Protein backbone atom coordinates (compact mmCIF):
# COMPACT_ATOMS: atom_id res chain seq x y z
CA UNK A 1 0.00 0.00 0.00
CA UNK A 2 1.65 3.16 -1.20
CA UNK A 3 1.52 6.25 1.03
CA UNK A 4 1.26 9.27 -1.26
CA UNK A 5 0.20 12.12 1.02
CA UNK A 6 -3.26 12.27 -0.54
CA UNK A 7 -5.80 9.51 -1.01
CA UNK A 8 -7.33 9.61 -4.46
CA UNK A 9 -9.20 7.07 -6.55
CA UNK A 10 -6.07 6.67 -8.70
CA UNK A 11 -3.89 5.93 -5.67
CA UNK A 12 -6.09 3.07 -4.45
CA UNK A 13 -5.62 -0.52 -5.54
CA UNK A 14 -8.09 -2.42 -7.68
CA UNK A 15 -10.12 -5.03 -5.82
CA UNK A 16 -7.97 -7.78 -7.36
CA UNK A 17 -4.67 -6.10 -6.48
CA UNK A 18 -5.88 -5.34 -2.95
CA UNK A 19 -6.98 -8.95 -2.41
CA UNK A 20 -3.43 -10.13 -3.15
CA UNK A 21 -1.86 -7.31 -1.11
CA UNK A 22 -4.17 -8.02 1.85
CA UNK A 23 -3.14 -11.66 2.09
CA UNK A 24 0.54 -10.71 2.20
CA UNK A 25 0.33 -7.61 4.39
CA UNK A 26 -2.65 -7.87 6.77
CA UNK A 27 -0.46 -8.76 9.77
CA UNK A 28 1.75 -5.70 9.19
CA UNK A 29 -1.28 -3.40 8.87
CA UNK A 30 -2.80 -4.84 12.06
CA UNK A 31 0.53 -4.32 13.87
CA UNK A 32 0.56 -0.68 12.65
CA UNK A 33 -2.98 -0.14 13.94
CA UNK A 34 -2.13 -1.80 17.26
CA UNK A 35 0.95 0.39 17.66
CA UNK A 36 -1.23 3.48 17.27
CA UNK A 37 -3.94 2.31 19.67
CA UNK A 38 -3.73 3.83 23.16
CA UNK A 39 -5.97 2.61 25.98
CA UNK A 40 -7.10 5.32 28.36
CA UNK A 41 -8.31 3.61 31.48
CA UNK A 42 -10.34 0.44 31.17
CA UNK A 43 -13.02 1.56 28.72
CA UNK A 44 -11.68 4.12 26.25
CA UNK A 45 -9.49 3.16 23.32
CA UNK A 46 -8.04 5.95 21.18
CA UNK A 47 -7.04 4.69 17.73
CA UNK A 48 -4.74 7.33 16.23
CA UNK A 49 -5.24 7.26 12.49
CA UNK A 50 -2.65 7.59 9.73
CA UNK A 51 -2.73 7.57 5.97
CA UNK A 52 -1.88 3.87 6.15
CA UNK A 53 -4.77 3.05 8.51
CA UNK A 54 -7.27 5.12 6.53
CA UNK A 55 -6.14 3.64 3.18
CA UNK A 56 -6.64 0.22 4.75
CA UNK A 57 -10.11 1.22 5.99
CA UNK A 58 -11.15 2.49 2.55
CA UNK A 59 -9.73 -0.56 0.76
CA UNK A 60 -11.53 -2.85 3.24
CA UNK A 61 -14.85 -1.06 2.65
CA UNK A 62 -14.39 -1.33 -1.13
CA UNK A 63 -13.58 -5.03 -0.75
CA UNK A 64 -16.43 -5.85 1.64
CA UNK A 65 -19.05 -3.94 -0.33
CA UNK A 66 -17.53 -4.97 -3.70
CA UNK A 67 -17.41 -1.32 -4.73
CA UNK A 68 -15.78 -0.63 -8.08
CA UNK A 69 -17.77 2.29 -9.54
CA UNK A 70 -16.02 5.68 -9.53
CA UNK A 71 -18.78 7.61 -7.74
CA UNK A 72 -19.08 5.04 -4.94
CA UNK A 73 -15.28 4.94 -4.50
CA UNK A 74 -15.25 8.75 -4.25
CA UNK A 75 -17.93 8.57 -1.53
CA UNK A 76 -15.76 6.21 0.54
CA UNK A 77 -12.77 8.54 0.11
CA UNK A 78 -14.92 11.52 1.15
CA UNK A 79 -16.09 9.66 4.25
CA UNK A 80 -12.67 8.55 5.50
CA UNK A 81 -9.95 10.82 4.05
CA UNK A 82 -10.71 13.66 6.53
CA UNK A 83 -9.32 11.34 9.24
CA UNK A 84 -5.78 11.47 7.81
CA UNK A 85 -3.51 13.76 9.91
CA UNK A 86 -2.30 16.88 8.11
CA UNK A 87 1.14 17.52 9.63
CA UNK A 88 0.13 19.73 12.57
CA UNK A 89 -2.42 17.46 14.16
CA UNK A 90 -3.34 13.97 15.27
CA UNK A 91 -6.68 12.50 14.31
CA UNK A 92 -8.21 9.55 16.06
CA UNK A 93 -11.21 7.33 16.47
CA UNK A 94 -12.27 7.27 20.12
CA UNK A 95 -14.01 4.04 21.11
CA UNK A 96 -15.92 3.68 24.36
CA UNK A 97 -15.87 -0.03 25.09
CA UNK A 98 -18.16 -1.81 27.55
CA UNK A 99 -18.78 -5.46 26.60
CA UNK A 100 -21.96 -5.76 28.70
CA UNK A 101 -24.92 -4.14 26.89
CA UNK A 102 -26.64 -2.88 30.05
CA UNK A 103 -23.45 -1.44 31.49
CA UNK A 104 -22.67 0.22 28.13
CA UNK A 105 -26.11 1.83 28.02
CA UNK A 106 -25.76 3.12 31.60
CA UNK A 107 -22.20 4.42 31.09
CA UNK A 108 -22.94 6.14 27.75
CA UNK A 109 -25.63 8.10 29.61
CA UNK A 110 -23.10 9.07 32.31
CA UNK A 111 -20.41 10.01 29.76
CA UNK A 112 -22.25 12.67 27.75
CA UNK A 113 -19.62 15.17 26.60
CA UNK A 114 -16.65 12.87 27.30
CA UNK A 115 -15.20 13.50 23.83
CA UNK A 116 -14.82 17.21 24.66
CA UNK A 117 -12.80 16.35 27.77
CA UNK A 118 -10.23 14.23 25.93
CA UNK A 119 -6.80 15.88 25.70
CA UNK A 120 -3.14 15.40 24.84
CA UNK A 121 -0.43 17.14 26.81
CA UNK A 122 3.03 17.52 25.32
CA UNK A 123 5.67 17.73 28.04
CA UNK A 124 6.26 21.41 28.92
CA UNK A 125 3.17 22.64 27.03
CA UNK A 126 -0.49 23.31 27.77
CA UNK A 127 -3.14 20.67 27.25
CA UNK A 128 -4.73 20.45 23.83
CA UNK A 129 -8.37 19.40 24.01
CA UNK A 130 -9.95 17.34 21.27
CA UNK A 131 -12.07 18.92 18.58
CA UNK A 132 -14.72 16.24 18.28
CA UNK A 133 -17.22 15.00 15.73
CA UNK A 134 -16.77 17.69 13.11
CA UNK A 135 -18.77 15.68 10.59
CA UNK A 136 -21.89 15.21 12.74
CA UNK A 137 -23.13 15.34 16.32
CA UNK A 138 -22.84 11.95 17.99
CA UNK A 139 -24.72 12.47 21.22
CA UNK A 140 -28.13 13.59 22.46
CA UNK A 141 -29.65 14.54 25.79
CA UNK A 142 -29.80 10.90 26.86
CA UNK A 143 -26.44 9.44 25.87
CA UNK A 144 -23.21 9.84 23.98
CA UNK A 145 -22.11 7.59 21.14
CA UNK A 146 -19.68 4.71 21.64
CA UNK A 147 -17.63 6.09 18.70
CA UNK A 148 -16.29 9.63 18.24
CA UNK A 149 -13.86 11.15 15.74
CA UNK A 150 -11.42 13.60 17.32
CA UNK A 151 -8.64 15.94 16.20
CA UNK A 152 -5.83 17.41 18.31
CA UNK A 153 -4.25 20.57 16.83
CA UNK A 154 -0.63 21.08 17.89
CA UNK A 155 1.28 24.31 17.47
CA UNK A 156 4.76 24.43 15.90
CA UNK A 157 6.53 24.34 19.29
CA UNK A 158 4.57 21.26 20.36
CA UNK A 159 5.32 19.50 17.06
CA UNK A 160 9.02 20.27 17.45
CA UNK A 161 9.00 19.03 21.06
CA UNK A 162 7.33 15.73 20.08
CA UNK A 163 9.81 15.22 17.23
CA UNK A 164 12.66 15.95 19.69
CA UNK A 165 11.44 13.22 22.05
CA UNK A 166 9.17 14.98 24.55
CA UNK A 167 6.77 12.77 26.47
CA UNK A 168 3.06 13.09 25.72
CA UNK A 169 0.12 12.24 27.95
CA UNK A 170 -3.31 11.27 26.73
CA UNK A 171 -6.02 12.12 29.23
CA UNK A 172 -9.62 12.79 30.04
CA UNK A 173 -10.93 15.14 32.72
CA UNK A 174 -14.63 14.24 32.43
CA UNK A 175 -16.16 14.04 35.92
CA UNK A 176 -17.23 10.43 35.38
CA UNK A 177 -14.06 9.27 33.60
CA UNK A 178 -10.92 10.91 34.99
CA UNK A 179 -7.89 9.15 33.48
CA UNK A 180 -4.50 9.81 31.97
CA UNK A 181 -1.70 7.73 30.51
CA UNK A 182 1.71 8.43 29.02
CA UNK A 183 1.69 7.44 25.37
CA UNK A 184 4.20 4.57 25.05
CA UNK A 185 7.49 5.47 23.35
CA UNK A 186 6.95 3.16 20.36
CA UNK A 187 3.47 4.57 19.75
CA UNK A 188 4.73 8.12 20.18
CA UNK A 189 7.49 7.52 17.62
CA UNK A 190 4.82 6.52 15.11
CA UNK A 191 2.70 9.56 15.99
CA UNK A 192 5.73 11.86 15.68
CA UNK A 193 6.07 10.74 12.06
CA UNK A 194 2.68 12.38 11.37
CA UNK A 195 4.07 15.81 12.27
CA UNK A 196 5.98 18.24 10.06
Amino acid sequence: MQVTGKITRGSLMTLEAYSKYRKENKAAIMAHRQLRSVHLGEHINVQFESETSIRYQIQEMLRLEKIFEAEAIDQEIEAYAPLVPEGSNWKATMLIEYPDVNERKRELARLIGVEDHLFVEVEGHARVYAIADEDMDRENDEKTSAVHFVRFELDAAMCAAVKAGANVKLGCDHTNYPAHVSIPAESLASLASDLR
Side-chain angles (χ1 to χ4, degrees), residues 2-185:
Q2 184 181 0
V3 175
T4 63
K6 183 163 173 52
I7 300 174
T8 62
R9 196 176 341 124
S11 72
L12 293 171
M13 290 181 243
T14 64
L15 294 178
E16 295 83 5
Y18 178 67
S19 179
K20 183 176 190 286
Y21 173 88
R22 186 177 189 269
K23 285 179 186 146
E24 298 167 358
N25 296 281
K26 187 174 181 185
I29 298 285
M30 291 297 104
H32 174 77
R33 289 185 60 79
Q34 184 63 37
L35 178 67
R36 296 174 64 93
S37 181
V38 180
H39 289 272
L40 180 60
E42 236 182 289
H43 302 287
I44 291 180
N45 180 12
V46 179
Q47 175 64 56
F48 287 94
E49 304 295 356
S50 66
E51 184 180 335
T52 299
S53 68
I54 295 302
R55 275 184 181 283
Y56 173 76
Q57 181 66 39
I58 293 170
Q59 292 280 183
E60 281 292 297
M61 292 305 294
L62 299 180
R63 182 185 74 84
L64 289 170
E65 303 290 330
K66 296 181 178 32
I67 296 171
F68 57 87
E69 293 174 352
E71 188 177 320
I73 294 170
D74 288 342
Q75 288 173 352
E76 293 299 324
I77 293 170
E78 270 181 49
Y80 292 103
L83 291 171
V84 176
E86 300 160 322
S88 64
N89 54 34
W90 288 321
K91 297 183 181 183
T93 304
M94 173 187 174
L95 305 162
I96 303 172
E97 302 171 329
Y98 288 90
D100 179 77
V101 176
N102 294 322
E103 183 182 18
R104 180 170 54 246
K105 186 176 179 183
R106 183 179 67 247
E107 292 305 314
L108 291 178
R110 292 180 68 237
L111 292 174
I112 292 173
V114 69
E115 68 280 6
D116 298 317
H117 289 268
L118 193 67
F119 64 84
V120 292
E121 187 175 340
V122 178
E123 183 181 3
H125 297 270
R127 287 180 176 173
V128 174
Y129 283 88
I131 300 164
D133 301 327
E134 294 175 282
D135 59 335
M136 64 186 284
D137 197 14
R138 288 192 162 75
E139 67 183 23
N140 56 39
D141 293 338
E142 296 174 13
K143 69 177 183 69
T144 191
S145 172
V147 179
H148 295 277
F149 299 104
V150 298
R151 172 171 56 96
F152 301 99
E153 282 298 327
L154 307 180
D155 65 26
M158 292 172 186
C159 292
V162 171
K163 290 181 94 48
N167 291 320
V168 179
K169 284 183 189 169
L170 174 66
C172 179
D173 60 11
H174 189 282
T175 305
N176 295 322
Y177 201 93
H180 70 273
V181 63
S182 289
I183 297 177

